[in-house]
Amino acid sequence: MSILRSSAKSVSNLMRMVGSSCTCPAHTALGTTHVHGPKCSHRRASVQTPQSEYAFEMATSTVRVGAGATREIGMDLANLKAKRVMVFTDPNIAKLQPLQTVVEALDRAHVKYTVYKDVRVEPSDTSFQAAIDAARAYGPDAFVAVGGGSTIDTAKAANLYTVFGDAHLLDFVNAPLGRGRAVDRPLLPLIAVPTTAGTGSECTGSAIFDLKSKGAKTGIADRALKPMLGIIDPLNTRSMPMQVRLASGLDVLCHAIESYTAIPYHMRGPAPENPLLRPAYQGANPISDIWSSHALRMVAKALPRAIADPEDIDAQDTMTLAAAYAGIGFGNGGVHLMHGCSYGISGLNRSYQHPEYPTEHALCPHGISVAVTSPAVAEFTAAMNPDRHLEIARVLGADVTHAKREDAGIVLGDALRRFLQGLGVPNGIAAFGYSTSDIGALVESILPQHRVLKLSPRQTGAEQIAAILERSLKNY
């Protein structure tokens, strides 16, 4: 594509970097689409052909669900014999009831603590490092996160790098942007108290941040990062502004869709030499399918109600559960192109600031940046599993009675556009200030997202990603 010519050399270099650990055509040639199959050259990475993946794992946090359950957190930490608890939150939540409830519970249980209030909404490498430095200086024996995914992910990073006190930030960051080091010893207890209904971070081993030097989002993914306990208390979501509720809910929607349509786990590639190296995001599997498909049905019904009526408590409560369900699903099955593209979209954002987000920096909320490419991604991936794509379209309200399997992508893409437009989602990435001239830079930012791109049922090169972004400039 002509828009990529100016970046051809750098894109080629990135593709070689991304493909350095994989010899299949999808990762070694620009513009190549590849379906992982039994004879895929993933399996020729060494002289002796490794055994293909034959197992999947199911890992999640313990969750406690109930209105008012946050009041028990002091007893939880006392039961752990915690002496120095570090509580993480952001400047906005620090003023609200959820943090007050946690602090009061810790006081009642006579648990000593400090509160770190400087979590950045949509964290960066700089904000992660500041939190890590504060945690290392304090020396906690347990962590509490009170907030959305940004806060929970920041607490995960602080926990990890407190235990590994001599590690550099990039040591555990996903390859190829980081070194992808495995977490080989237990972390400290972390209790997550989500105040949004979206990220599912209370159930996963992922921590996402902006790597500013690369202009891209990346993260750390390891089962060891998952919280010991997630307290899903719907009372903590009551103070969410409507736009935060929308963005969080869209994240749940895309978690569910991507996990359900990811490459099957046994087609991901060779089995790891050591089970410690089996990735947290493994591909679609029979257990994650159950959680993701059920979460999808919950979101399709509850999210429009929660946005239309701020007083619809039942819809809000359903979304808190849907977030956890999808978190369990994608936390083991993984996400792919919607999230992969979003990391570039939000990472390169320089001026767009979404309404109702109390922040002084440019910000495209994660759930919004994920959702805007969902129609184009669905059109691209549908050929690999048309039945599942038609099933998703039906859940979202499309009449698929006479739909042909070969039209599954068009049917689901249109269903997603209607769903997003009905919720008032910004009209494509052009709404964030992007144009055709930005596609090349976006592609460069997206290509290194190896951890998620490889889980797409259709592995893609630069031209396919560019086409998805072009299709996503305007959705309606």
Side-chain angles (χ1 to χ4, degrees), residues 363-447:
L363 188 148
C364 178
H366 174 65
I368 300 292
S369 67
V370 172
V372 290
T373 64
S374 61
V377 168
E379 290 170 346
F380 176 71
T381 59
M384 297 301 101
N385 198 329
D387 292 335
R388 286 201 174 189
H389 286 70
L390 286 174
E391 178 186 351
I392 296 166
R394 180 181 58 77
V395 171
L396 292 176
D399 182 359
V400 300
T401 306
H402 302 293
K404 298 177 180 178
R405 297 177 79 248
E406 57 266 32
D407 295 331
I410 296 173
V411 174
L412 178 52
D414 287 345
L416 282 163
R417 290 185 182 93
R418 287 192 298 271
F419 191 79
L420 299 181
Q421 188 172 23
L423 294 171
V425 176
N427 186 10
I429 65 174
F432 312 140
Y434 293 115
S435 67
T436 297
S437 63
D438 299 307
I439 300 292
L442 286 168
V443 170
E444 288 188 48
S445 181
I446 292 164
L447 282 173

Side-chain angles (χ1 to χ4, degrees), residues 47-61:
V47 175
Q48 184 175 9
T49 303
Q51 183 178 9
S52 61
E53 182 61 279
Y54 58 89
F56 64 92
E57 300 182 16
M58 196 68 193
T60 190
S61 307

Side-chain angles (χ1 to χ4, degrees), residues 277-439:
L277 302 178
R278 182 168 283 114
Y281 287 3
Q282 303 160 89
N285 61 77
I287 298 180
S288 65
D289 286 351
I290 293 171
W291 292 96
S292 296
S293 60
H294 192 66
L296 174 66
R297 287 165 172 77
M298 297 169 76
V299 175
K301 293 180 179 180
L303 182 57
R305 289 171 47 199
I307 299 304
D309 182 4
E311 303 303 319
D312 192 335
I313 301 303
D314 179 68
Q316 293 176 24
D317 292 355
T318 298
M319 286 302 301
T320 63
L321 274 181
Y325 284 22
I328 296 170
F330 92 87
N332 294 277
V335 291
H336 51 83
L337 292 176
M338 297 174 197
H339 271 74
C341 290
S342 80
Y343 295 152
I345 293 166
S346 57
L348 291 181
N349 174 40
R350 296 292 178 266
S351 59
Y352 178 78
Q353 190 163 358
H354 199 71
E356 296 188 12
Y357 272 77
T359 177
E360 296 178 355
H361 57 272
L363 188 148
C364 178
H366 174 65
I368 300 292
S369 67
V370 172
V372 290
T373 64
S374 61
V377 168
E379 290 170 346
F380 176 71
T381 59
M384 297 301 101
N385 198 329
D387 292 335
R388 286 201 174 189
H389 286 70
L390 286 174
E391 178 186 351
I392 296 166
R394 180 181 58 77
V395 171
L396 292 176
D399 182 359
V400 300
T401 306
H402 302 293
K404 298 177 180 178
R405 297 177 79 248
E406 57 266 32
D407 295 331
I410 296 173
V411 174
L412 178 52
D414 287 345
L416 282 163
R417 290 185 182 93
R418 287 192 298 271
F419 191 79
L420 299 181
Q421 188 172 23
L423 294 171
V425 176
N427 186 10
I429 65 174
F432 312 140
Y434 293 115
S435 67
T436 297
S437 63
D438 299 307
I439 300 292

